[in-house]
Amino acid sequence: MHHRRDIRADIVDALDRTWDTLRYPGAVYTGHDRVAIAAVARATRAVTGTGNAPLPEPVVEAARRVATDPAGIDEAWVSRIVTSGLPVVGYVELVGVVSRVAAVDAFEATIGAPPRPLPEPSDGDPTGVVDENARPAKGFVPMTHIGGIWWALSLVPEAFAGMKLLHNRLYLSPSQMREPGSPHVLTRPQIELVASRVSELNDCFY
């Protein structure tokens, strides 16, 4: 798309696939809802997008908070938001949408590319697909495993798969994380230094 001549092909593929998934229905939201959530998140961060789509107020509040103040998310806030009209499955799916949009936007801003236009939403009903094995755990939401931020979106398989795709391509896959070396141009210490600094700047509580 933009400024991609020197970008690894697997990263370009992951970004393109990630963006395309926004248009389709998820577990709770229609494709139109998901694109509207992306627009709200972008508008809150002053990135191209209208953010004026008709969404319930709890959904708008959550999209804005996740987009701009993730460090301000605590158990009390999550408890309030999921009892004010945004079910926990919808919250997890929303986090998946907003975080993927933020990751793609941040990557393309870093390489000097303009924000991608939001995709045209696809029609269709939400799938209702969740992982019934998820149980309350860290992150204030049900997860399929109790350990690690890796499983934070595992209640919603579509959101979990989208997170894994970007994680594996932009950082490291779980198998690569277990190895001391690096499959990329940066050395493993350099990769971890960047990851740690970004986490610190974003006040990541984990």
Side-chain angles (χ1 to χ4, degrees):
M1 190 176 175
H2 310 290
H3 298 263
R4 296 188 171 191
R5 185 171 52 194
D6 300 320
I7 306 301
R8 288 190 349 240
D10 65 320
I11 290 180
V12 174
D13 173 70
L15 298 178
D16 290 345
R17 288 167 57 190
T18 294
W19 212 247
D20 192 55
T21 63
L22 298 177
R23 73 173 71 242
Y24 297 109
V28 171
Y29 302 111
T30 66
H32 293 267
D33 293 334
R34 286 159 62 91
V35 172
I37 288 168
V40 168
R42 276 187 154 187
T44 306
R45 291 186 293 110
V47 179
T48 301
T50 63
N52 295 321
L55 292 166
E57 184 54 38
V59 175
V60 173
E61 178 185 348
R64 288 173 174 167
R65 175 65 66 91
V66 174
T68 61
D69 186 27
I73 296 174
D74 57 21
E75 189 169 11
W77 181 83
V78 173
S79 178
R80 180 181 65 78
I81 205 74
V82 301
T83 58
S84 64
L86 175 57
V88 67
V89 176
Y91 171 67
V92 172
E93 183 179 342
L94 179 147
V95 172
V97 169
V98 174
S99 60
R100 279 178 280 175
V101 170
V104 174
D105 282 347
F107 182 93
E108 300 211 312
T110 300
I111 65 172
R116 296 178 179 225
L118 290 171
E120 191 67 29
S122 173
D123 294 330
D125 297 326
T127 66
V129 175
V130 298
D131 194 320
E132 300 293 347
N133 296 313
R135 297 292 182 269
K138 294 180 180 180
F140 322 129
V141 297
M143 298 159 58
T144 58
H145 291 70
I146 62 172
I149 198 67
W150 173 259
W151 303 100
L153 302 180
S154 56
L155 173 64
V156 179
E158 182 275 333
F160 189 40
M163 180 278 294
K164 288 194 292 184
L165 174 63
L166 285 179
H167 185 284
N168 292 352
R169 302 292 175 83
L170 298 181
Y171 177 44
L172 296 166
S173 69
S175 62
Q176 290 168 340
M177 292 172 67
R178 290 191 289 268
E179 299 294 331
S182 167
H184 305 310
V185 174
L186 295 180
T187 66
R188 184 61 183 273
Q190 288 172 329
I191 291 173
E192 298 302 342
L193 176 62
V194 172
S196 298
R197 180 58 174 160
V198 170
S199 294
E200 191 273 337
L201 290 172
N202 289 329
D203 291 327
C204 296
F205 74 85
Y206 67 93

